[in-house]
Amino acid sequence: MRRSEVTAPDGLKLAVYEAGNSVGPEILFIHGFSQCAECWEPQFYDPQLSERFRLAAFDLRGHGASDKPASADRYAEDRLFAGDVTAVIDALQLKRPVLVGWSYAGRIIGDYLEAYGTARIAGINYVCARTNNQPEFVGPGNDHLAAMTGADRAANLAATRAFVRACFARLPAPEMLERIVDYNMLVPAAVRAAHLSRPPSDGAVLRTIDVPVLVTQGDQDLLVSKGLGELTAALVPGARLSMFEGVGHAPFVEDTARFNRELAEFAAAAH
């Protein structure tokens, strides 16, 4: 994964990563809350994707190696997140990428669509994605978020460990699990709180999408219930739902082979 830096419209520096076929169809991966672009390693290092596609990802503002300003107003407005996505597309000169959005990135893709529409993208893969804030779709894994935003570091770490474990119905190897905890802890508690305090989204933009959409959902997801995946697929015209049985919030890790195969098929057809 080649790393570089992109400047967002408000001056914030975003860490950006590239790999794969430099002239292939493009896929831009957007990670979830408290995670980072490293979560996409099972995709970046799979020849099924890297030999055919140009792969890109970035660390959200406040996450990973991107800037982490403490002020809540650097995370308050939807236009900031929309601007981050378009800044990455512009800087990397992506022509029409497929956007792959995991979890909280469903909201960020919504921010982008509200601001810029679909003219510059080829398709969207929503992955266990938070596309609205209706409470009936909030799973029990979200119970750990309060302690993850507090000042007590020991409680924060314990809650982060529990949150990371709740992301999986099929746990990865212990060393991988610890690495995930490590990069989750890079996000300061105040930054987490700022992200979580954003105004809610009603998901109305879903009905306006006019590019191909694949909705990938784990039926054992403890963070975003499978009902939201089903609703997302029902609201987007022509969307296809792929339900992963026995899989939790991270199908791209829990069943990498199937996820990568379906993404490759979807991205090739979308382009």
Side-chain angles (χ1 to χ4, degrees), residues 76-78 81 103-115 126 129-138 195-207 209 228 231-232 235:
E77 297 183 39
D78 295 352
F81 297 91
S103 192
Y104 176 56
R107 168 65 184 273
I108 291 168
I109 290 175
D111 298 333
Y112 174 82
L113 294 174
E114 291 279 7
Y126 286 112
R130 174 65 59 194
T131 54
N132 72 38
N133 293 89
Q134 293 174 230
E136 61 264 38
F137 300 127
V138 177
H195 276 272
L196 293 175
S197 64
R198 295 177 67 196
S201 169
D202 63 5
V205 72
L206 293 173
R207 298 181 185 275
I209 297 175
L228 184 52
L231 178 62
T232 299
L235 291 177

Side-chain angles (χ1 to χ4, degrees), residues 124-215:
I124 303 168
N125 181 195
Y126 286 112
V127 183
C128 299
R130 174 65 59 194
T131 54
N132 72 38
N133 293 89
Q134 293 174 230
E136 61 264 38
F137 300 127
V138 177
N142 294 280
D143 294 346
H144 307 294
L145 298 180
M148 290 171 66
T149 63
D152 185 327
R153 185 163 178 82
N156 183 330
L157 177 58
T160 299
R161 287 188 183 280
F163 169 78
V164 167
R165 293 182 70 87
C167 288
F168 301 96
R170 305 173 183 174
L171 287 174
E175 60 272 18
M176 182 177 184
L177 203 63
E178 282 304 301
R179 193 152 54 95
I180 296 169
V181 171
D182 287 346
Y183 63 64
N184 270 258
M185 288 300 294
L186 292 174
V187 186
V191 170
R192 288 172 171 170
H195 276 272
L196 293 175
S197 64
R198 295 177 67 196
S201 169
D202 63 5
V205 72
L206 293 173
R207 298 181 185 275
T208 72
I209 297 175
D210 58 0
V211 294
V213 169
L214 171 65
V215 179

Side-chain angles (χ1 to χ4, degrees), residues 40-269:
W40 301 112
E41 283 190 352
Q43 285 63 59
F44 272 60
Y45 294 109
D46 182 353
Q48 182 176 198
L49 292 173
S50 63
E51 290 180 3
R52 296 175 61 188
F53 300 95
R54 182 183 178 194
L55 308 178
F58 68 101
D59 293 333
L60 299 179
R61 56 177 56 220
H63 292 66
S66 291
D67 285 350
K68 303 174 181 64
S71 176
D73 64 5
R74 303 298 293 276
Y75 310 92
E77 297 183 39
D78 295 352
R79 66 171 180 83
L80 296 171
F81 297 91
D84 292 348
V85 176
T86 199
V88 171
I89 291 173
D90 287 344
L92 298 184
Q93 298 182 341
L94 303 181
K95 298 177 182 68
R96 289 184 70 243
V98 165
L99 302 183
V100 179
W102 177 37
S103 192
Y104 176 56
R107 168 65 184 273
I108 291 168
I109 290 175
D111 298 333
Y112 174 82
L113 294 174
E114 291 279 7
Y116 299 103
T118 60
R120 299 185 65 190
I121 62 173
I124 303 168
N125 181 195
Y126 286 112
V127 183
C128 299
R130 174 65 59 194
T131 54
N132 72 38
N133 293 89
Q134 293 174 230
E136 61 264 38
F137 300 127
V138 177
N142 294 280
D143 294 346
H144 307 294
L145 298 180
M148 290 171 66
T149 63
D152 185 327
R153 185 163 178 82
N156 183 330
L157 177 58
T160 299
R161 287 188 183 280
F163 169 78
V164 167
R165 293 182 70 87
C167 288
F168 301 96
R170 305 173 183 174
L171 287 174
E175 60 272 18
M176 182 177 184
L177 203 63
E178 282 304 301
R179 193 152 54 95
I180 296 169
V181 171
D182 287 346
Y183 63 64
N184 270 258
M185 288 300 294
L186 292 174
V187 186
V191 170
R192 288 172 171 170
H195 276 272
L196 293 175
S197 64
R198 295 177 67 196
S201 169
D202 63 5
V205 72
L206 293 173
R207 298 181 185 275
T208 72
I209 297 175
D210 58 0
V211 294
V213 169
L214 171 65
V215 179
T216 302
Q217 181 66 48
D219 72 347
Q220 301 300 309
D221 194 337
L222 296 180
L223 278 87
V224 175
S225 71
K226 72 173 187 177
L228 184 52
E230 293 168 338
L231 178 62
T232 299
L235 291 177
V236 177
R240 181 170 75 86
L241 174 64
S242 180
M243 189 66 69
F244 281 57
E245 295 182 1
V247 168
H249 192 56
F252 55 94
V253 175
E254 297 177 66
D255 193 346
T256 299
R258 175 182 166 185
F259 179 89
N260 289 359
R261 181 179 68 252
E262 291 187 358
L263 175 57
E265 292 169 354
F266 173 73

